[in-house]
Amino acid sequence: DVVIPKGALTVITGPSGSGKSSLALDILFTEGKRRYMESLSAYARQFLGTAKKPDVDRIEGLCPSIAIEQKTVSSNPRSTVGTITEIYDYLRVLFARIGKVHCPECMQPISAESPDQITARLLTRFAGQTITVAAPYAIQKKGEYTKELLSLFNGGLYRFVIDGTRHRFTSEQQINDLKLQKTKKHSIDILVDSLEVLHEERARLHEAIEKAFKLADGVCKVIVGIEEHLYSSHRMCIACGISVPEIEPRIFSFNSPLGACPECHGLGVVHEWPWSVNDPENWKSDHLFFADKYAKELTCKRCYGRRLNEVALAVTIADKTIYDVCTYSIKDLLVFFNDIRLHEVAQEIGSSLIKEIVERLAFLQGVGLGYLSLNRPAGTLSGGEGQRI
């Protein structure tokens, strides 16, 4: 039993999460308020509503009570330490601006590059070497491709690599004689130009890349010896054929349809009911009504509790996704951002954002919350933790 004397100042102490606020506010104040409201007339109570009985066995000698306002945080399941402190908003902008984009399927790095950028890179990377610029017209796709090859041939293109074999067509009959099987997958590269990578050949190289982009819908292949290098003017994985949309801050928000996992809608969990749904018209209302009472909460099998979709989870900074960063304790996250090493352009873009993030993390560390992580749900915080946040 807990005995609290009347006519005295009583202080409830203890570590964060031990139940100090729950005892003072959720039990003593709530029950005192409920008893006071029950003493009022039925007419008065209709304007005040009904007070919920606290989860307690017995309280004796409790007088009507008042509470000085306590600053509490939202118990919304979508609120986290990161969203409340706005640190997560800065992280979303940081990942959108300097994050390294990968294919959601094979996790290979992908980027959108202009002919100018590719030309500059090739002049540095393959200086003095002979390269072939090609347009990957078909990548493992079924079809005969006779009409397409004839159209390209009549447009002045003669050199191709078809299923690994080089061809230089001199007549339409040679193309007709190919007879590629319609039911098999084929790869066809149009050989645009072969040249030595020299600064005086810059214009020719740039022109070849532009032509390859036009022929292969923004994709270019550079062949150096037995090596092949793919470049794209779109954010697209050439191997998987997956296009990645323009990366913006909303993609990293689990409260936005653009970023949320489509299975759990950004909650990280799904509800499972102990019955099957037979009436589609009543599905929504039935599930909402019975969710808290009968539903079992399970970790989402698509995002594994990470809340975000595959595109958002395929963007990294220093090999860490935004979810990875938010699982760190605030203390460890401070170390991560203080020690992070970025290349020159990323450093220039991200330095001011990182400064803001570090300042906020340092404040939370200073008020004794270094053990929390940014993805900690707001509803699991104690009253003292909520006030300090």
Side-chain angles (χ1 to χ4, degrees):
D1 291 351
V2 177
V3 179
I4 300 176
K6 291 187 177 181
L9 177 65
T10 301
V11 179
I12 304 171
T13 62
S16 292
S18 61
K20 304 181 296 295
S21 300
S22 298
L23 173 60
L25 296 167
D26 299 341
I27 295 177
L28 298 177
F29 168 65
T30 301
E31 177 64 7
K33 182 174 70 172
R34 187 186 71 83
R35 292 184 184 187
Y36 171 69
M37 289 174 63
E38 284 187 347
S39 71
L40 300 175
S41 66
Y43 177 77
R45 288 203 304 271
Q46 71 175 327
F47 298 106
L48 298 173
T50 57
K52 187 179 178 182
K53 188 176 177 68
D55 186 16
V56 64
D57 294 331
R58 188 178 81 255
I59 299 178
E60 296 178 352
L62 181 63
C63 300
S65 56
I66 62 170
I68 305 300
E69 179 187 2
Q70 183 193 39
K71 190 76 173 179
T72 57
V73 295
S74 169
S75 58
N76 188 320
R78 293 187 176 276
S79 294
T80 65
V81 171
T83 60
I84 294 168
T85 59
E86 298 181 355
I87 294 173
Y88 193 74
D89 295 331
Y90 283 96
L91 285 174
R92 291 193 295 114
V93 177
L94 183 69
F95 271 79
R97 296 292 175 264
I98 67 170
K100 190 173 183 179
V101 185
H102 299 76
C103 170
E105 189 70 31
C106 67
M107 291 307 292
Q108 290 298 312
I110 57 176
S111 61
E113 295 178 289
S114 67
D116 287 334
Q117 290 173 316
I118 297 169
T119 301
R121 182 185 292 191
L122 295 177
L123 285 168
T124 303
R125 187 174 181 182
F126 302 116
Q129 299 183 53
T130 299
I131 67 169
T132 299
V133 178
Y137 188 77
I139 301 173
Q140 288 296 298
K141 289 185 178 180
K142 293 180 180 179
E144 294 177 343
Y145 289 102
T146 303
K147 290 181 180 179
E148 292 86 346
L149 288 171
L150 285 172
S151 176
L152 291 167
F153 176 77
N154 290 322
L157 297 164
Y158 313 113
R159 298 187 302 147
F160 299 84
V161 175
I162 302 173
D163 296 336
T165 303
R166 288 189 175 238
H167 296 267
R168 190 181 189 284
F169 298 122
T170 56
S171 68
E172 292 185 359
Q173 187 58 45
Q174 290 177 317
I175 296 173
N176 289 322
D177 291 341
L178 270 178
K179 294 181 180 177
L180 299 177
Q181 293 185 38
K182 188 176 182 179
T183 56
K184 288 192 175 181
K185 292 180 179 179
H186 304 286
S187 294
I188 300 173
D189 291 340
I190 305 167
L191 302 182
V192 177
D193 197 0
S194 292
L195 69 159
E196 192 175 354
V197 181
L198 302 169
H199 278 281
E200 50 266 33
E201 295 283 9
R202 185 187 186 99
R204 181 180 167 186
L205 178 59
H206 188 278
E207 184 182 348
I209 293 167
E210 280 191 327
K211 189 172 183 180
F213 275 174
K214 287 178 182 177
L215 291 168
D217 192 25
V219 181
C220 170
K221 180 183 284 188
V222 174
I223 304 168
V224 187
I226 60 171
E227 294 182 356
E228 295 183 349
H229 305 270
L230 289 169
Y231 301 92
S232 174
S233 62
H234 315 294
R235 276 199 171 92
M236 185 180 81
C237 177
I238 312 298
C240 302
I242 296 174
S243 294
V244 176
E246 189 66 29
I247 302 299
E248 55 177 301
R250 285 187 301 167
I251 283 179
F252 302 100
S253 173
F254 43 77
N255 294 323
S256 165
L258 280 178
C261 167
E263 186 70 24
C264 64
H265 306 292
L267 289 173
V269 295
V270 292
H271 290 105
E272 184 180 90
W273 284 265
W275 61 81
S276 59
V277 180
N278 296 316
D279 186 356
E281 292 184 5
N282 294 326
W283 179 87
K284 190 172 183 180
S285 60
D286 285 351
H287 279 55
L288 288 174
F289 182 78
F290 290 111
D292 292 339
K293 192 170 183 180
Y294 296 110
K296 185 188 290 184
E297 206 172 70
L298 303 173
T299 301
C300 176
K301 292 182 179 178
R302 180 159 180 172
C303 69
Y304 301 102
R306 295 177 292 178
R307 297 186 170 206
L308 296 165
N309 61 33
E310 290 85 353
V311 173
L313 293 170
V315 181
T316 63
I317 293 177
D319 297 327
K320 303 295 179 186
T321 67
I322 195 168
Y323 175 79
D324 295 333
V325 166
C326 289
T327 60
Y328 286 174
S329 68
I330 287 165
K331 179 182 177 182
D332 291 339
L333 195 52
L334 262 172
V335 174
F336 173 80
F337 278 114
N338 283 324
D339 292 348
I340 197 168
R341 295 291 178 266
L342 302 172
H343 60 77
E344 187 178 346
V345 176
Q347 181 65 36
E348 186 177 344
I349 296 170
S351 59
S352 60
L353 287 166
I354 292 173
K355 180 175 179 287
E356 292 287 348
I357 291 168
V358 168
E359 284 181 358
R360 283 163 170 74
L361 290 173
F363 179 82
L364 292 174
Q365 171 84 345
V367 294
L369 296 177
Y371 57 90
L372 292 180
S373 63
L374 294 182
N375 66 359
R376 172 82 173 263
T380 66
L381 298 171
S382 70
E385 289 169 335
Q387 281 186 299
R388 282 178 279 167
I389 284 175

